[in-house]
Amino acid sequence: MNTHEFLRKQIDQAIQKEGFSQAIAFAVADEALEFYKRTASFKSGAIGECLAYAKKRAKEMQKLSGTRKAS
């Protein structure tokens, strides 16, 4: 497993644990991976910043789709 696959998997799992749908988790994991690739350096760690980015995007996507988080 390379770095990109590892990062995508970790973010996908973390977003699903937050209660977001599998579809949203998959989509934002890909977006977070692109964010990782475009970012030259990270102030507080790559995984933490990518996860924060993914959570923000997941909330935005959920709001646009009108769905609720799973309890």
Side-chain angles (χ1 to χ4, degrees):
M1 179 180 293
N2 66 32
T3 304
H4 295 151
E5 292 169 347
F6 174 79
L7 185 60
R8 180 184 289 129
K9 182 178 178 182
Q10 294 301 310
I11 290 172
D12 183 272
Q13 290 175 347
I15 295 299
Q16 285 188 51
K17 283 182 185 176
E18 292 281 326
F20 292 97
S21 72
Q22 186 176 7
I24 288 177
F26 184 79
V28 299
D30 280 343
E31 288 185 29
L33 184 58
E34 291 303 315
F35 171 74
Y36 172 80
K37 291 176 183 178
R38 318 189 283 270
T39 305
S41 64
F42 296 95
K43 295 176 186 171
S44 63
I47 292 179
E49 288 190 38
C50 289
L51 186 54
Y53 174 85
K55 284 181 184 179
K56 179 180 175 190
R57 286 293 299 138
K59 288 177 185 175
E60 291 170 356
M61 289 179 77
Q62 183 179 53
K63 190 173 183 179
L64 288 174
S65 70
T67 60
R68 293 183 178 178
K69 279 182 19 177
S71 298

